[in-house]
Amino acid sequence: MVRNIVVLGGSSHPQLNETICNHLGIPPPNILLSKFPAGETRVEIRESVRGKDVYIVQSGGGKVNDHLMELLVTISACKTASAKQVTAVLPLFPYSRQSDIPYNKTGAPLARGPANLAGYSFESRPQTPYPGQPQSAGLNGSVDGLHNRLNKAHLDEQQQQVSNQYSPQRDRIPYQTNGPMRSDTVDSAKYEATGRDRGASTSSLNRVNGHDESGSTTSGSSKTSFQPQPGYKQWVAQAGTLVADLLTCAGADHIITMDLHDPQYQGFFDIPVDNLYGRPLLKRYIQYQIPDYQQAVIVSPDAGGAKRATAIADGLGMDFALIHKERRPTRITDRQNATMMLVGNITNRTAILIDDLADTSNTITRAAKLLKKEGATKVYALITHGVLSGDAIERINASALDKVVVTNSVPQEEHKQRCPKLEVLDVGTVFAEAIRRVHHGESISVLFQYD
């Protein structure tokens, strides 16, 4: 029995918290988790945590926002109750995928530009302005280039009109006795040229943006809504830094999680972060549950998970294959239209897909279809975090996958009843051992070993 320790469980995964308490030999805590009639989160800890090490187990599946808020309130309650140290145990870290930004990770396209603009692509974007910065050159064939050409034409025409006023042809025009006429002054010439050119530039800009003057509103009508320029990219909020700051400001002293989608997420914190691996569990399953596993092939469903899959393949002495996804959408809504190509040979062999997270299961089901088409005899999918939201279960049941293996980092009871192909591995003992070692000040490096 571990002394001077309290393991509080959130409402996201009560079964996992019970497994951890049983492994540590401590009774479950007396805590009240509920909501007020207005929907606000209510947390009441009905036992003393003064001077104790408190570990709060809360996963990121299900109602993510409610569970995150409940975790923050519980951390703050423990710090207010004079807990010695508060550690947040997050088997699935919430918002862990929002450090990823679509396309080239600098922003998402806001609108599709006209198809006849030369040199425009989803990857082109204007330079971000800041004080004292020279004007950007803009995009080739975009509205910025049109503005520059129109401005240059304006200046050339104005200079030509000014020079004509002092030409011999202009001197033959009779003047009034009290000075030149109003229409012959330099200021009036500039004003008239500017007025004509402004109308021309407005009509040209409307044609580029797909608007016609016939559909323009009158001066008395309301202003038109903002129309983004082709090539402009909206800055997308990254919630990763925000969640890290929220946990730190709430009072968390330590974070324990498993298989972060992006390892860079640890750099968002100013407190220690232990990122446990689910690979030992997956590796043990391959060794003892897949017959003749040494003749099988480890397959990564995308390039981002290649390092994760090769670590298991090298440790078991197995072959490795990669599925390359080439995303070339014709429209912004066509992000799912990605060409998948297999790099490697899996003919008449068992294929084992390795990934860290399955949400809608679109990637692994499409990968399984490709592997069966390329000659694989059986296809396994080993996933650390099986969120399986939306119609993921129906998609797996109708897919070419023979078996899907996930961990219980999120609750899987309902998923297992609906999907006969699903098999669940328990990670409760891994987190319990990590909590015990952290509490006693021991190293947790042994949990990272694969032998």
Side-chain angles (χ1 to χ4, degrees):
M1 178 177 178
V2 182
R3 298 181 180 275
N4 204 28
I5 184 176
V6 176
V7 179
L8 301 177
S11 59
S12 63
H13 204 336
Q15 293 81 8
L16 182 62
N17 182 63
E18 183 179 356
T19 301
I20 293 175
C21 291
N22 293 336
H23 186 82
L24 295 175
I26 58 177
N30 188 6
I31 181 174
L32 173 63
L33 301 173
S34 62
K35 284 184 176 296
F36 288 104
E40 298 178 356
T41 300
R42 178 189 180 188
V43 176
E44 183 178 346
I45 303 174
R46 296 178 174 177
E47 64 180 70
S48 175
V49 295
R50 180 179 295 273
K52 296 183 180 181
D53 287 345
V54 180
Y55 296 84
I56 305 172
V57 182
Q58 185 80 301
S59 188
K63 300 178 180 178
V64 182
N65 296 327
D66 289 343
H67 295 160
L68 177 60
M69 193 64 203
E70 184 180 272
L71 174 63
L72 297 175
V73 175
T74 307
I75 293 173
S76 179
C78 293
K79 296 298 287 187
T80 305
S82 302
K84 180 181 178 181
Q85 183 176 359
V86 178
T87 301
V89 181
L90 301 163
L92 172 59
F93 201 96
Y95 290 87
S96 61
R97 289 188 296 171
Q98 291 210 26
S99 57
D100 279 347
I101 303 250
Y103 306 117
N104 61 351
K105 301 183 186 294
T106 57
L110 190 61
R112 184 189 177 194
N116 57 353
L117 292 179
Y120 168 73
S121 66
F122 283 109
E123 300 299 330
S124 59
R125 66 185 186 280
Q127 188 175 2
T128 304
Y130 57 86
Q133 176 190 11
Q135 184 179 1
S136 173
L139 305 174
N140 295 328
S142 66
V143 177
D144 295 334
L146 175 61
H147 280 304
N148 294 335
R149 291 193 297 272
L150 289 175
N151 292 335
K152 185 177 180 181
H154 297 172
L155 295 177
D156 293 343
E157 186 174 353
Q158 291 176 13
Q159 292 176 0
Q160 184 178 3
Q161 292 176 357
V162 172
S163 62
N164 289 339
Q165 295 191 16
Y166 301 99
S167 62
Q169 299 290 339
R170 191 74 174 177
D171 293 339
R172 295 193 184 97
I173 300 176
Y175 287 88
Q176 296 179 355
T177 57
N178 57 353
M181 296 192 308
R182 174 62 182 164
S183 60
D184 295 330
T185 60
V186 176
D187 294 336
S188 62
K190 291 182 179 179
Y191 180 82
E192 293 174 1
T194 305
R196 290 193 301 269
D197 296 334
R198 186 182 296 113
S201 63
T202 303
S203 60
S204 301
L205 181 59
N206 289 337
R207 285 193 297 270
V208 172
N209 284 333
H211 301 283
D212 190 78
E213 292 183 358
S214 61
S216 61
T217 58
T218 61
S219 59
S221 61
S222 59
K223 295 182 179 180
T224 59
S225 59
F226 169 71
Q227 296 294 335
Q229 298 178 0
Y232 172 78
K233 289 198 172 182
Q234 174 188 9
W235 291 107
V236 179
Q238 300 186 32
T241 307
L242 175 61
V243 173
D245 292 340
L246 287 173
L247 290 171
T248 305
C249 293
D253 302 301
H254 190 190
I255 302 293
I256 299 177
T257 185
M258 174 175 281
D259 275 355
L260 281 172
H261 187 68
D262 283 327
Q264 67 178 7
Y265 214 99
Q266 301 177 62
F268 297 159
F269 288 91
D270 296 329
I271 56 177
V273 178
D274 288 328
N275 183 26
L276 305 179
Y277 294 151
R279 295 177 222 167
L281 292 174
L282 304 182
K283 178 181 173 181
R284 194 176 303 114
Y285 180 87
I286 294 174
Q287 288 177 315
Y288 294 102
Q289 301 297 328
I290 297 180
D292 199 15
Y293 72 92
Q294 293 181 342
Q295 302 301 322
V297 181
I298 300 292
V299 182
S300 175
D302 51 26
K307 187 175 181 180
R308 184 183 308 109
T310 52
I312 296 179
D314 293 341
L316 296 175
M318 302 171 61
D319 292 337
F320 170 75
L322 172 69
I323 294 179
H324 172 64
K325 288 194 297 186
E326 193 172 283
R327 296 186 183 271
R328 291 185 179 179
T330 56
R331 296 189 303 271
I332 294 176
T333 56
D334 287 350
R335 290 185 58 197
Q336 299 297 337
N337 285 342
T339 303
M340 304 182 72
M341 298 176 291
L342 177 64
V343 182
N345 182 22
I346 59 165
T347 305
N348 298 325
R349 303 174 73 179
T350 300
I352 305 173
L353 287 166
I354 303 292
D355 207 350
D356 66 324
L357 191 145
D359 188 2
T360 60
S361 303
N362 182 65
T363 299
I364 59 172
T365 52
R366 293 186 64 194
K369 181 179 179 180
L370 176 63
L371 293 174
K372 282 292 183 73
K373 183 179 178 180
E374 295 292 335
T377 56
K378 296 187 71 175
V379 178
Y380 292 82
L382 274 62
I383 313 295
T384 304
H385 305 296
V387 179
L388 306 180
S389 60
D391 58 347
I393 297 297
E394 290 75 12
R395 189 172 292 165
I396 291 175
N397 290 333
S399 68
L401 289 166
D402 295 291
K403 188 175 287 293
V404 178
V405 182
V406 298
T407 68
N408 63 341
S409 59
V410 294
Q412 300 291 348
E413 289 77 11
E414 181 181 356
H415 297 159
K416 195 171 182 180
Q417 293 176 359
R418 296 168 52 195
C419 183
K421 299 180 180 180
L422 195 64
E423 188 168 345
V424 182
L425 304 179
D426 185 20
V427 295
T429 56
V430 178
F431 282 101
E433 182 63 18
I435 291 174
R436 188 193 68 79
R437 288 177 175 272
V438 170
H439 177 66
H440 291 294
E442 301 176 7
S443 173
I444 62 172
S445 299
V446 66
L447 300 178
F448 301 149
Q449 297 177 3
Y450 307 136
D451 296 335

